[in-house]
Amino acid sequence: MTELLAVITITLLAVISPGPDFAMVSRNSLLLSRRAGVLTAVGIGLGVLVHVGYTLLGLGLLIQQSLWLFHAIKLAGAAYLVYLGVKMLRTRPSHGVPEAASAPLSDGAALRTGFLTNALNPKTTVFIVSLFLQVVRPGTPLSLQLGYGAFISAAHVAWFSLVALCFSAGAVRSRLLAARHWIDRAFGGLLVVFGVLLALSGATR
């Protein structure tokens, strides 16, 4: 019971902490659609399962012990965030073109964006690996560990779906869409900052 409560508490605290996942879901929900935001959230949950999978297979310990491998993951994640950020920074004003004319993000693209944002996020790597190596006991049945992994993924989907619902609802969204390109640039700049800070950060885990 103590282990279960620890997993739940740590997971909830980790999920609601701000980061690239929050920025991406907020942006897609606000500027594109509620559906795009929710599918991005689902993609994030699928990305979490990647971290859970390699941790349960024992690769998490390798990542924890291998400095070069951790740096490789960190730099890949940083590069992806900077790439997304630069794309948003290059957004141009619509010059009177209605928002409905903007090319929508396909369901697959929304899922892929959420998946890659999380799967390449070293913050999630550190969280999952540390949780399973330091909180979950070695003697915990595999079925229960799989349950923990499913809960962590579901918690991400639930929280970020709620974020998507909040950012895609109400008259505030309609007003904000008038400044769509500036909001896109703001989120793009935020992702670039996340990526640069990630690339420059030390190897502390």
Side-chain angles (χ1 to χ4, degrees), residues 28 31 73 104 106 113 121 133 137 168 174 193:
N28 285 353
L31 300 183
I73 295 173
S106 69
T113 298
N121 187 357
L133 293 183
R137 293 168 298 178
S168 61
S174 299
V193 170

Side-chain angles (χ1 to χ4, degrees), residues 165-181:
L165 293 177
C166 291
F167 275 85
S168 61
V172 175
R173 177 175 182 266
S174 299
R175 296 192 184 98
L176 290 175
L177 286 178
R180 181 183 190 278
H181 64 288

Side-chain angles (χ1 to χ4, degrees), residues 178-191:
R180 181 183 190 278
H181 64 288
W182 291 113
I183 296 173
D184 221 357
R185 289 174 180 177
F187 278 113
L190 189 60
L191 288 179

Side-chain angles (χ1 to χ4, degrees), residues 52-126:
V52 172
Y54 66 63
T55 299
L56 293 182
L57 288 174
L59 297 180
L61 182 60
L62 173 63
I63 292 173
Q64 187 184 53
Q65 299 299 324
S66 176
L67 189 60
W68 72 266
L69 182 56
F70 180 78
H71 276 307
I73 295 173
K74 183 179 68 172
L75 291 175
Y80 182 67
L81 292 179
V82 171
Y83 164 73
L84 289 177
V86 170
K87 283 183 64 178
M88 294 179 197
L89 286 171
R90 296 177 64 183
T91 300
R92 297 183 178 182
S94 58
H95 299 298
V97 178
E99 175 65 23
S102 300
L105 192 67
S106 69
D107 291 352
L111 279 170
R112 184 171 61 252
T113 298
F115 175 79
L116 291 176
T117 299
N118 187 274
L120 294 175
N121 187 357
K123 174 186 171 184
T124 310
T125 299
V126 173

